[in-house]
Amino acid sequence: MLESVQENPYPESCVLGEGPDLHPWLKPVAPFLGRWRGRGRGGYPTLAEDFQYEQEIAFSHDGRPFLRYEARAWLIDGAGTAVRPSGREVGWWRVTPEGYAEVLMAHPTGIVETYVGQVSGPQMEMETKDVARTPLAKEVAGSRRRYTVEGGELIVVQELEAMGQPMQQHLVARLRAQSA
């Protein structure tokens, strides 16, 4: 006979003051906590044309010294209508009280990245330390990212070095905080 399953005793929270206490080491990244949604634009020399997309990003914690990160995007047309799913990634942000950061990101396209960076006020800048790929994944050599919280928005800028191209801007998005 199966035992009854209890409610999760360790819930995650995207909101300060709700759920578990924020670990003191996460104070530098507290401005990122929450759910964000908005639009962006992207392009790269290996693509036929530039594109527009909508994106959702969530940062949560369970009281331990790391943030859980999840992002998903979908392409949109000029009228803002969803066209098809696009990028998706999950990961973990580990931060020291001084703002030094180590980030792990995994993509369903067969790419796993480690980043190192620094949090300074409401901004996190990071760049890849390592990139691992499955045999069928596209060639990605590196990336730089900047996440900035400003005026109720999360601004995300990503540069990419891939497919034989030098490091250059790939994505820019402006996301607004969503209610929990």
Side-chain angles (χ1 to χ4, degrees), residues 79-106:
T81 304
V83 175
R84 68 174 172 81
S86 188
R88 193 152 192 182
E89 55 194 21
V90 296
W92 307 98
W93 288 26
R94 301 179 335 146
V95 183
T96 68
E98 299 77 32
Y100 168 77
E102 297 177 337
V103 176
L104 308 168
M105 298 256 191

Side-chain angles (χ1 to χ4, degrees), residues 16-101:
L16 278 177
E18 292 183 15
D21 290 337
L22 186 69
H23 192 283
W25 286 15
L26 294 180
K27 287 183 180 173
V29 290
F32 300 100
L33 273 175
R35 297 183 185 284
W36 306 86
R37 185 170 178 173
R39 292 190 174 171
R41 64 185 189 299
Y44 207 68
T46 59
L47 300 174
E49 57 188 31
D50 291 351
F51 56 92
Q52 293 181 25
Y53 63 96
E54 204 159 311
Q55 184 173 41
E56 293 177 338
I57 294 179
F59 292 98
S60 62
H61 74 98
D62 66 2
R64 293 182 285 172
F66 53 81
L67 289 184
R68 179 178 181 267
Y69 167 87
E70 184 170 1
R72 57 189 292 170
W74 51 96
L75 297 180
I76 58 174
D77 63 19
T81 304
V83 175
R84 68 174 172 81
S86 188
R88 193 152 192 182
E89 55 194 21
V90 296
W92 307 98
W93 288 26
R94 301 179 335 146
V95 183
T96 68
E98 299 77 32
Y100 168 77

Side-chain angles (χ1 to χ4, degrees), residues 113-128:
E113 302 162 302
T114 63
Y115 287 83
V116 292
Q118 186 68 39
V119 181
S120 178
Q123 183 168 287
M124 157 75 112
E125 291 191 28
M126 63 177 132
E127 63 181 89
T128 49

